[in-house]
Amino acid sequence: NLTLAILYRASVGGKPNLVKIENGQIVVIPSKTSSPLSAEDLEVKEIINLFIQSHEAGTAKDTQLIRAAALISQKIYAGKKFPSGQTYLGHTINVAKTTAKWGADAETIAAALLHKLSAKELDHVLRYGSRSKKRDVIAGNSAKRIKEFITKLSAITQLPYFDGKYFVAVKGNFTLQNYMNMVMLMSKDAQTMLLVFADKLETVPASSGADERNYRYQELLHIYAPLAARLNARNIAYCIRNEAFRLSRPAHYARVKKETEQLLGQNMEQAQEYLEKLGQEIAVVLRANRVEDVIIQTRVKNLYSIWEKISSSRKPEYTDILELKDIFGIRIITQDVARALTFIIDYSDSQQ
């Protein structure tokens, strides 16, 4: 019954581990120095996963850039908070996560993570005239683009501040239409607009007062939601209207959210995932039956639209969420409508 135990370093699973031979068996000894990922590290991992989902052709260089920006932000934002108590790191991670969900490129996501750095801090970590290999420095063309994104975002956030009551009555050079034109002119590209929209969605902490929430509500509803719709960014416009709804009528928002999720039997994110999966299955069925050039679009009706429909005098027939028949929606775009409809009916019947 002699047990022979020999401790040595070996590579197990591609990583160096401490193992021992015991009764002729190799046993891995768990490392005492390893520690679980922090909450911030898990958030960064989620951001990278969201990026990969949106960019099948994304490279290792892209993910390295996001990790580098995250590392820099964790180091420089450490301990920094807004007057509301929200941390700089929490705010920038939320903005980065939102841009990643919307399909932003790696440099835009990196800009989201770094956009609260001071000009001096940016000059220190962004070296677009060199090829530095330091972990806390981003160099080359990526550094240049990140700096451009952040500079444009900063300029847009410094546009004239409107009193909440003034939004719907501005005249002259500051009409709402001119204001939207100014934002588009200053952004110059779609990636910057993604950054602007994401930042606006994260500008109102839970601890803000009624006046601040009202101002942000007016800004989101009268400027940024119409601007997103004007740019054909429908899902972003929905997100912005939802946030405006939450800010302006928090009690109604909470009630509609609770009742809708009870009806669906899942939360809104799970419902959207389910619907997207269903859309993919329908696309497979249609293509397998030679219905070509099919585009499938899915959407879960947003909370603002649900509330608007059941509370508006324009739709007196709808007074309760249970009466709505369009909470889930799938749009199928194809030239071969009759053929597609035949197979959709067959598919629907098979799922009963």
Side-chain angles (χ1 to χ4, degrees):
N1 295 323
L2 178 66
T3 297
L4 175 64
I6 304 174
L7 300 183
Y8 66 100
R9 287 281 177 183
S11 178
V12 179
K15 297 180 180 180
N17 287 271
L18 188 64
V19 302
K20 64 182 179 180
I21 297 177
E22 196 171 83
N23 290 332
Q25 301 290 323
I26 296 179
V27 180
V28 178
I29 302 174
S31 172
K32 294 181 180 180
T33 59
S34 62
S35 58
L37 291 174
S38 68
E40 291 80 11
D41 289 334
L42 290 172
E43 295 275 22
V44 172
K45 186 176 180 180
E46 182 181 353
I47 290 168
I48 291 173
N49 287 338
L50 288 167
F51 169 77
I52 293 172
Q53 289 170 19
S54 300
H55 298 269
E56 294 181 1
T59 65
K61 185 178 178 182
D62 291 326
T63 56
Q64 287 169 5
L65 175 63
I66 297 172
R67 285 195 181 95
L71 181 70
I72 292 168
S73 66
Q74 287 172 322
K75 179 180 178 181
I76 297 180
Y77 295 144
K80 292 184 178 180
K81 294 183 178 181
F82 296 101
S84 66
Q86 184 187 29
T87 65
Y88 277 37
L89 185 58
H91 168 79
T92 55
I93 282 178
N94 286 342
V95 174
K97 193 186 298 184
T98 300
T99 60
K101 285 179 182 176
W102 291 342
D105 63 25
E107 287 156 350
T108 306
I109 296 171
L113 288 165
L114 301 175
H115 78 277
K116 285 301 178 182
L117 267 60
S118 67
K120 185 177 180 180
E121 289 168 335
L122 283 173
D123 287 339
H124 177 72
V125 301
L126 300 177
R127 309 284 180 83
Y128 29 90
S130 65
R131 293 187 176 183
S132 174
K133 293 184 179 180
K134 293 181 180 179
R135 294 182 68 198
D136 60 350
V137 169
I138 296 173
N141 290 332
S142 290
K144 185 177 181 180
R145 274 196 84 204
I146 291 169
K147 181 66 178 291
E148 289 173 352
F149 286 145
I150 295 174
T151 300
K152 288 186 285 187
L153 173 63
S154 178
I156 289 170
T157 57
Q158 293 176 32
L159 284 173
Y161 185 95
F162 287 154
D163 178 89
K165 298 177 182 178
Y166 190 54
F167 266 104
V168 294
V170 287
K171 298 179 180 179
N173 291 331
F174 291 112
T175 62
L176 294 179
Q177 192 66 41
N178 285 342
Y179 195 101
M180 284 188 272
N181 290 342
M182 197 184 312
V183 171
M184 288 194 295
L185 183 65
M186 294 171 72
S187 68
K188 296 181 181 178
D189 61 81
Q191 292 295 316
T192 302
M193 285 307 311
L194 289 180
L195 185 57
V196 170
F197 288 138
D199 184 58
K200 287 298 177 183
L201 285 176
E202 294 297 332
T203 53
V204 188
S207 59
S208 59
D211 289 344
E212 174 71 3
R213 287 199 305 273
N214 182 58
Y215 171 76
R216 293 303 173 191
Y217 158 70
Q218 298 281 352
E219 184 183 44
L220 290 171
L221 190 63
H222 293 293
I223 292 179
Y224 289 98
L227 181 54
R230 179 175 167 183
L231 296 173
N232 203 30
R234 186 178 58 178
N235 288 338
I236 295 176
Y238 285 161
C239 289
I240 294 172
R241 288 194 183 99
N242 261 355
E243 180 63 3
F245 176 36
R246 184 187 70 82
L247 292 172
S248 62
R249 294 177 172 85
H252 288 86
Y253 177 90
R255 179 179 64 82
V256 171
K257 186 174 188 293
K258 181 180 179 180
E259 291 180 4
T260 302
E261 292 183 347
Q262 284 178 341
L263 177 63
L264 298 177
Q266 54 193 333
N267 64 39
M268 300 299 285
E269 291 75 19
Q270 291 169 331
Q272 185 61 52
E273 289 174 6
Y274 162 76
L275 204 58
E276 288 173 359
K277 183 179 179 181
L278 181 59
Q280 291 167 3
E281 291 176 2
I282 291 173
V284 169
V285 169
L286 292 177
R287 287 167 185 148
N289 287 281
R290 292 184 291 180
V291 179
E292 305 294 341
D293 300 324
V294 177
I295 298 174
I296 307 288
Q297 296 176 345
T298 62
R299 70 105 180 93
V300 178
K301 198 175 190 69
N302 67 84
L303 299 177
Y304 172 77
S305 296
I306 291 172
W307 173 79
E308 186 180 42
K309 199 164 190 175
I310 62 176
S311 62
S312 173
S313 59
R314 293 178 299 161
K315 299 279 186 178
E317 66 271 28
Y318 298 113
T319 59
D320 191 275
I321 291 174
L322 292 172
E323 297 170 344
L324 300 181
K325 298 180 175 61
D326 62 342
I327 293 180
F328 278 4
I330 299 178
R331 175 180 292 154
I332 302 169
I333 304 172
T334 178
Q335 294 289 336
D336 198 349
V337 175
R339 186 176 174 82
L341 185 58
T342 299
F343 289 113
I344 290 300
I345 292 172
D346 290 343
Y347 176 79
S348 178
D349 290 343
S350 70
Q351 301 301 305
Q352 299 297 323

